Amino acid sequence: MSAATRRLTTAQALVRFLAAQYTERDGVRHRLIAGTWGIFGHGNVAGVGQALVEYAGVMPYHQGRNEQSMVHAAAAHARQLNRLSAQAVTTSIGPGATNLVTGAALATVNRLPVLLLPGDYFASHAADPLLQQLEHPVEADVSVNDTLRPVSRYFDRITRPEALISSALNAVRVLADPAETGAVTLCLPQDVQAEAFDWPEEFFADRVWRVRRPAPDPVELEAAAKAVRAARRPLIVAGGGVHHSEAEEALRDFVDATGIPVSSTQAGKGSLRHDHPADLGGIGHTGTAVSDQLARTADLVIGVGTRYSDFTTASGTLFADPDVRFLNLNITGFDAHKLGARTLVCDARTGLEALAGSLAGHRVDAAYEGEYAAGKERWGQVVEAAYRADDENAVPTQTQVLGALDAVVGDADVVINAAGSLPGDLHKLWRARSPRQYHLEYGYSCMGYEIPAAIGVQQAAPGTPVWALVGDGTYLMMPTEIVTAVQERLPVKMVLIQNHGYASIGGLSEETGGERYGTAYRYRAKDGTFTGAPLPVDLAANAASLGMDVLRAKTVRELRHALAEARGAERPTCVYVETDPAPTAPPAEAWWDVPVAEVASREAAVRARERYDAQVTGRRRHL
C-alpha cells in the first residue's frame, strides 16, 4: 500500500469517513454523525458490524430493538440539535430493512436528517437467491430496499467499493443542507461491505460542511416590506423552520418592533414564549380561538418556516378574508411558493433580520394589538379551566394530566408527543416556555414515536428532563425501546395515559358517521360490536417488566406527587394513570377535511355527510 492510500473494507471505510464529517454554522462546529444505531443480522453483521467494532473508539454504537424505532430516535436527536447533527441506522437485509420505511418517511416529511444503511443482496449474485431476498422476475437489480426510494432525499446502492467515494460525499451533502435534508439511504450489498479497496487518504480527512444562512433577494425583500406596510391585519404563522434556524430571538425582536402577532404550527410552537404578549398559541384545526379568529380576518399571512399542512390551513378554510395574501419566508422555494405567496427564499433568521431592517419604524395599529391581547387573555382563562382540578381526590381528565405536568416541568424540560388526542390538547393548551420544550411530531403523526424519540432527545441533551407522553394505543404500537433506555442508562420519563382505546380516532369516527366502531379496547360481541368492560391489560406491569420504574397514580393528588418524583428520578421512570374519558379539552376552532360517505343507510353517516357538505363550501384555493 502506498503512503497515499489505506486498505480497508468498504464498511470500514464508510464508518471511518462518517466519523470525520462535521457541520459548522455561525462558527460553531458539530459532529455530523454523532453515532450509529444498529440491529445486526445477516447483511450487516460481518460488514458494518465488524467495522463498528474496528472503530468503536470514534463511532459510538447504540443497540436498538426495532428498526423503525431506531430511525425515530435518530430523527428526534437531529431535531433537538437543530439538524446540525444526525445519527446513522444500520440494519440487516429483508424485514430489518423494510422496517426502516416508516421512520424514513417521518424524517423526510419533517425535513430531519437521518442516514440509513440497510444491508442488501450480493452485488456479485454469487448466492442468488439468498435468505430474505426478494426475487423480481424482470428487474434483477430490484431489492426490498427500493421501498426506501420515495421516502429518501438521496438514495444509492453501492455495488462496487470505489462507488462509495462519490456517493458518501453526496449523502453527507444532503444531510447537511437545510433545504435538501431528510432521510438518506445508502444500500450496502453484503459482499461489497466486506470487500477491501485501497482508499485515498483524503477520503478520511476531517471535512466541514458549512450550513449556510442565505440572505433574501433584494427585490423580494423590497416587495415583502411593501406588503407588510400595506397590511392592516397581518399575522405570522411560525413553523418548524424558526427552530431549525435558531431564529427565535430574531422573531421576538421582529414582533417587538412591529407588533405583529404570532400563531404557531405544531412544529413551530415555542417560537415565542407562551407569555409573550404577541404569542397567540397554535393555529388551525387544533389552534386556539384567538389564533383562528385572527386568521379568518387576516389580510396578510406571513409564513415563517412552515409548509402549510392541512391542519394549519384547516383544509383551505381558515384564511377567509377575500383579499388575503401570503408572504412566505422559507429556505426552500418549494415551500415558499405555496398558496400563491410572495416569497423570501432565505434562512429564517437572516430573513427576519433583513425584513425588520426594511420595516424600521413600522408598527400595526394599537387597536389591533388591543384586539389580540384581549383574545389572548380570554384564551388563557380557557386553559386555566381545562387544567384546573377542583377535587384532588378525583380521577384526572386528560387535560388535568397536562395541567399537573405543567406545574412540575421546568423551562428546559422537553415534552414529546406525536399521535392520538394529545396533540390537539397540547397544541391548544400547552404553555411552551422555551424553544425546545414542545416536541410534537405532527408532520407524520406516527404512533410509536414518543418513546424512541425521548431516547434520541435525551442523548442529545443529557441532564435535561425528557418526557414522553404516551396514550395506550401508541404504547401498544412500540414499547420495546424501553429496554434500550434501561440499557443506555437514560432517565427518560414516560407518562402513560390509559383510556382504553383510540380516543382521537374514536371522536373522528363519531364525527364522520363511523359510530366509534373498532376504536375501543373491549371484548368483541357475537354481533361484531365491541362492548362490555375494558380488556384486562396492565400496561404498567408491562412497562415494569421491560425495566422501567413505575409509579401508579389514581387521583389528581397522586398524579402530582408521581410526576414530581419522576422528574427527579435517575432511572427510566413511568407515571401510569387511568383518566376520566369525559372530554374536557376545548372543541376544535376550525375544520379538518375528512371525506364522509356520500351515500349511507345509517342515520349517523347521513347526518355526518350533511355537516360535511356545509363545511366543504368554505374551502378555497389561494392562487
Side-chain angles (χ1 to χ4, degrees):
M1 183 178 72
S2 71
T5 62
R6 189 185 310 186
R7 191 163 182 80
L8 301 172
T9 68
T10 303
Q12 292 165 355
L14 176 59
V15 171
R16 187 65 190 84
F17 167 84
L18 293 175
Q21 306 304 302
Y22 297 87
T23 61
E24 184 177 287
R25 185 168 71 182
D26 303 331
V28 180
R29 186 170 295 187
H30 307 263
R31 182 163 173 170
L32 177 57
I33 304 299
T36 298
W37 286 94
I39 296 175
F40 295 124
H42 88 99
N44 71 337
V45 65
V48 174
Q50 190 283 325
L52 288 169
V53 175
E54 191 89 7
Y55 292 108
V58 295
M59 178 58 70
Y61 165 71
H62 309 292
Q63 184 184 54
R65 269 73 200 172
N66 176 283
E67 292 85 358
Q68 178 181 321
S69 289
M70 294 192 297
V71 187
H72 291 339
H77 180 276
R79 173 171 168 170
Q80 180 69 18
L81 297 176
N82 303 317
R83 307 189 300 186
L84 296 170
S85 182
Q87 293 176 319
V89 179
T90 179
T91 73
S92 62
I93 72 168
T98 52
N99 278 351
L100 294 172
V101 175
T102 297
L106 180 147
T108 296
V109 164
N110 288 285
R111 277 71 160 174
L112 297 171
V114 176
L115 177 60
L116 308 179
L117 304 173
D120 214 323
Y121 57 68
F122 282 67
S124 66
H125 291 266
D128 188 28
L130 66 155
L131 179 64
Q132 298 177 326
Q133 180 180 342
L134 171 72
E135 293 185 275
H136 196 287
V138 296
E139 294 181 86
D141 63 340
V142 169
S143 82
V144 295
N145 288 339
D146 287 275
T147 59
L148 288 160
R149 286 183 184 271
V151 292
S152 297
R153 294 292 291 168
Y154 180 82
F155 179 99
D156 197 8
R157 179 175 284 112
I158 311 301
T159 57
R160 291 185 58 83
E162 59 268 35
L164 178 67
I165 295 174
S166 61
S167 190
L169 289 166
N170 275 319
V172 295
R173 172 187 60 79
V174 172
L175 289 170
D177 188 334
E180 295 293 332
T181 198
V184 168
T185 300
L186 296 181
C187 305
L188 302 172
Q190 54 185 305
D191 53 344
V192 178
Q193 289 182 50
E195 187 175 345
F197 183 74
D198 293 331
W199 304 88
E201 283 288 349
E202 294 86 349
F203 186 57
F204 307 115
D206 286 359
R207 192 179 300 267
V208 178
W209 301 82
R210 287 186 170 79
V211 180
R212 306 178 187 90
R213 289 195 181 276
D217 175 81
V219 174
E220 288 192 337
L221 181 61
E222 182 180 356
K226 183 178 179 180
V228 175
R229 288 184 181 278
R232 296 176 298 103
R233 300 179 63 82
L235 174 67
I236 294 171
V237 176
V242 175
H243 295 312
H244 297 326
S245 65
E246 298 173 284
E248 297 92 355
E249 184 177 345
L251 176 64
R252 188 188 66 233
D253 291 345
F254 181 86
V255 169
D256 288 345
T258 64
I260 299 174
V262 176
S263 298
S264 56
T265 69
Q266 287 280 16
K269 194 172 172 76
S271 295
L272 291 180
R273 266 187 66 104
H274 74 93
D275 52 4
H276 189 284
D279 179 66
L280 307 184
I283 190 170
H285 178 63
T286 54
T288 67
V290 59
S291 280
D292 288 352
Q293 287 165 6
L294 259 66
R296 292 185 179 97
T297 59
D299 57 358
L300 180 68
V301 178
I302 306 169
V304 183
T306 178
R307 62 190 189 93
Y308 288 111
S309 77
D310 61 341
F311 259 59
T312 299
T313 67
S315 300
T317 64
L318 185 60
F319 305 112
D321 187 293
D323 298 318
V324 66
R325 292 294 179 265
F326 296 83
L327 167 63
N328 291 339
L329 193 164
N330 205 293
I331 201 165
T332 70
F334 176 79
D335 289 317
H337 282 87
K338 290 177 177 176
L339 304 179
R342 294 184 182 276
T343 61
L344 278 178
V345 181
C346 58
D347 171 77
R349 190 169 87 182
T350 303
L352 285 168
E353 290 170 347
L355 187 58
S358 297
L359 291 170
H362 174 74
R363 192 171 183 87
V364 299
D365 289 344
Y368 185 49
E369 292 189 73
E371 177 187 343
Y372 69 69
K376 177 180 174 69
E377 183 177 358
R378 288 193 298 272
W379 188 257
Q381 295 169 0
V382 172
V383 174
E384 289 293 341
Y387 280 0
R388 186 170 55 246
D390 296 325
D391 183 357
E392 291 281 305
N393 295 314
V395 174
T397 65
Q398 182 163 284
T399 58
Q400 289 169 349
V401 172
L402 298 183
L405 184 62
D406 174 81
V408 167
V409 300
D411 286 9
D413 291 32
V414 179
V415 176
I416 299 173
N417 186 242
S421 58
L422 276 166
D425 292 358
L426 286 160
H427 200 207
K428 294 188 192 86
L429 303 174
W430 188 258
R431 300 185 283 209
R433 307 175 197 178
S434 64
R436 296 293 163 271
Q437 183 173 83
Y438 188 86
H439 184 125
L440 261 285
E441 188 289 293
Y442 216 60
Y444 211 48
S445 187
C446 187
M447 295 178 73
Y449 173 81
E450 292 89 345
I451 297 172
I455 292 171
V457 171
Q458 192 77 83
Q459 289 176 326
T464 297
V466 179
W467 301 84
L469 306 190
V470 182
D472 48 359
T474 288
Y475 180 86
L476 288 169
M477 286 276 183
M478 204 168 293
T480 51
E481 239 52 48
I482 288 173
V483 178
T484 303
V486 173
Q487 181 180 39
E488 298 268 333
R489 302 178 188 276
L490 298 172
V492 297
K493 297 94 175 57
M494 179 173 68
V495 181
L496 177 51
I497 300 173
Q498 171 68 279
N499 56 22
H500 302 286
Y502 299 118
S504 174
I505 295 302
L508 182 62
S509 172
E510 186 172 41
E511 177 66 23
T512 57
E515 304 176 49
R516 292 185 176 264
Y517 183 76
T519 62
Y521 296 152
R522 310 266 178 180
Y523 285 104
R524 186 184 184 96
K526 291 182 179 180
D527 63 358
T529 61
F530 296 86
T531 59
L535 299 178
V537 176
D538 190 341
L539 300 184
N542 179 261
S545 75
L546 296 176
M548 271 195 139
D549 292 343
V550 175
L551 306 171
R552 295 176 184 258
K554 295 182 179 180
T555 67
V556 173
R557 177 179 285 106
E558 290 177 0
L559 175 63
R560 296 188 195 281
H561 290 310
L563 291 171
E565 183 177 343
R567 188 172 187 272
E570 297 181 357
R571 293 194 72 256
T573 301
C574 168
V575 175
Y576 174 83
V577 57
E578 294 199 35
T579 55
D580 182 338
T584 52
E589 296 289 339
W591 187 58
W592 181 42
D593 190 352
V594 178
V596 176
E598 192 168 2
V599 294
S601 60
R602 297 182 68 84
E603 184 68 16
V606 173
R607 298 284 80 82
R609 182 66 195 198
E610 291 173 354
R611 294 191 298 270
Y612 179 84
D613 288 339
Q615 292 281 1
V616 78
T617 58
R619 185 170 54 203
R620 62 188 289 197
R621 296 186 185 275
H622 299 281
L623 301 171

